[in-house]
Amino acid sequence: MKKFTSVADIGDLKIALAEAALVKNDRFAFQELGKNKTLLMIFFNSSLRTRLSTQKAAMNLGMNVIVLDVNQGAWKLETERGVIMDGDKAEHLLEAIPVMASYCDIIGVRSFAGLVNKKDDYEEKVIEQFIRYSGRPVFSMEAATRHPLQSFADLITIEEYKTKERPKVVMTWAPHPKALPQAVPNSFAEWMNATDYDFVITHPEGYELDPKFVGNARVEYDQRKAFEGADFIYAKNWSAYADPNYGKVLSTDRDWTVDTEKMALTDNAFFMHCLPVRRNMIVTDDVIESERSIVIPEAANREISAQTVLKRMLEAL
Ligand code: AN0
Ligand code: CP
């Protein structure tokens, strides 16, 4: 595997899930694969899970790991070509990428959407430059429009917990005080659409996602109706995608918060969220602490999705 930025890069999902199960069953079985190989993880944005789980996954495979927080201690990087660099950015990505690549074998990049210019975000300008100019396998640790390691972990988790062949999975928008990217919901939709699950998206008017990601999913504007008979509730906030409101917060209506009364409409659904989560905005304390909340095993599966992807990249070096 030379790049991992979307569901298309993982190929057949059943094969990928079987490989993930193999990894989970004995995560130290492939220690020789990563010997003397170095992973460089580059963060343009904060992280708890991605940072720790990906580093752990690489160590399970015997790799060495270097982590660079671009905004803490590194030179500020210019990402646009043609800019007169007389501002606060001391170095250009076009030099920084090949330099960084010279110290490693595989590169992971986290670079969120700026939420100002839709075209720039949806062209994935930052991670695409890493793919083009590094000469190394590159994987997304959440880029502007997708978070595939999260979606892969979500899929692994649903497969582990489902009791029906074709579960009803509902992704619901929920309120949040700050503008968040569409990467997690885009990506989750993309991966769910690649399964044969019954997949429903619910959100207030104005929060329609890019049709490319919505695909054949059913969109239901009545959240309570969407919850009826659900087996999994996947909560997430995102900012508006549609023009002229791209990147804006249109509502913080806590009527959309996932609470016990709404969960009672489901078929005893499991509650999922990628974390970090703001309690009593996205979900009430009661729901996230309930027996049906699987946010912790979901986060734990981030190690497994990362290890499966890194294993494939090492095998192709
Ligand atoms: C980020 C987001 O919504 O994309 C990261 C989630 C994994 N969330 C926040 O910034 C709170
Ligand atoms: N879910 C997730 O990617 O979390 P972090 O932002 O903490 O890495």
Side-chain angles (χ1 to χ4, degrees), residues 1-3 38 40 42 93-109 126-139 313 316-317:
M1 189 189 271
K2 291 285 181 214
K3 87 178 174 80
T38 300
L40 174 60
I42 301 158
L93 213 51
L94 289 171
E95 282 75 53
I97 290 174
V99 168
M100 293 190 281
S102 71
Y103 308 135
C104 67
D105 301 282
I106 297 177
I107 300 177
V109 181
V126 174
I127 197 163
E128 283 300 326
Q129 292 194 67
F130 276 91
I131 292 167
R132 200 166 314 138
Y133 299 118
S134 71
R136 299 279 181 262
V138 172
F139 64 95
M313 288 191 159
L317 278 182

Side-chain angles (χ1 to χ4, degrees), residues 67-265:
V67 183
L68 180 71
D69 290 297
V70 174
N71 296 323
Q72 281 165 28
W75 303 109
K76 277 211 169 100
L77 294 178
E78 177 57 59
T79 58
E80 289 295 315
R81 195 170 170 280
V83 169
I84 297 166
M85 288 173 58
D86 60 356
D88 63 340
K89 300 196 174 144
E91 178 154 26
H92 202 287
L93 213 51
L94 289 171
E95 282 75 53
I97 290 174
V99 168
M100 293 190 281
S102 71
Y103 308 135
C104 67
D105 301 282
I106 297 177
I107 300 177
V109 181
R110 165 162 287 202
S111 175
F112 289 176
L115 297 179
V116 176
N117 183 323
K118 183 197 279 194
K119 190 166 170 286
D120 282 359
D121 290 344
Y122 275 70
E123 282 175 2
E124 289 287 4
K125 279 195 159 175
V126 174
I127 197 163
E128 283 300 326
Q129 292 194 67
F130 276 91
I131 292 167
R132 200 166 314 138
Y133 299 118
S134 71
R136 299 279 181 262
V138 172
F139 64 95
S140 165
M141 300 196 297
E142 186 172 338
T145 64
R146 293 178 178 89
H147 192 1
L149 284 176
Q150 181 65 50
S151 310
F152 187 13
D154 296 334
L155 175 65
I156 294 167
T157 309
I158 293 172
E159 283 294 304
E160 287 174 345
Y161 283 85
K162 74 176 190 186
T163 53
K164 295 175 193 161
E165 191 50 39
R166 193 168 171 267
K168 178 175 176 183
V169 178
V170 179
M171 177 169 81
T172 180
W173 180 93
H176 188 280
K178 293 189 173 154
L180 297 184
Q182 297 103 33
V184 171
N186 283 346
S187 201
F188 187 70
E190 180 177 70
W191 285 66
M192 290 300 105
N193 282 327
T195 70
D196 60 1
Y197 303 159
D198 177 14
F199 180 52
V200 179
I201 305 174
T202 182
H203 56 70
E205 301 263 355
Y207 278 102
E208 291 76 14
L209 292 165
D210 182 348
K212 180 174 101 185
F213 292 103
V214 175
N216 292 327
R218 279 189 287 135
V219 177
E220 170 58 66
Y221 289 93
D222 182 336
Q223 191 192 33
R224 287 179 168 78
K225 212 165 150 199
F227 273 42
E228 283 170 15
D231 299 296
F232 293 87
I233 297 297
Y234 190 94
K236 183 71 185 89
N237 172 268
W238 61 88
S239 60
Y241 168 77
D243 293 322
N245 293 319
Y246 180 70
K248 295 213 164 64
V249 174
L250 306 179
S251 162
T252 50
D253 184 358
R254 288 200 288 118
D255 193 38
W256 279 78
T257 302
V258 178
D259 61 14
T260 306
E261 175 245 311
K262 280 181 219 161
M263 288 300 284
L265 301 168

Side-chain angles (χ1 to χ4, degrees), residues 19-32:
E19 198 170 337
L22 189 78
V23 162
K24 192 162 182 172
N25 184 49
D26 183 0
R27 50 195 92 189
F28 304 110
F30 310 97
Q31 282 258 313
E32 285 303 308

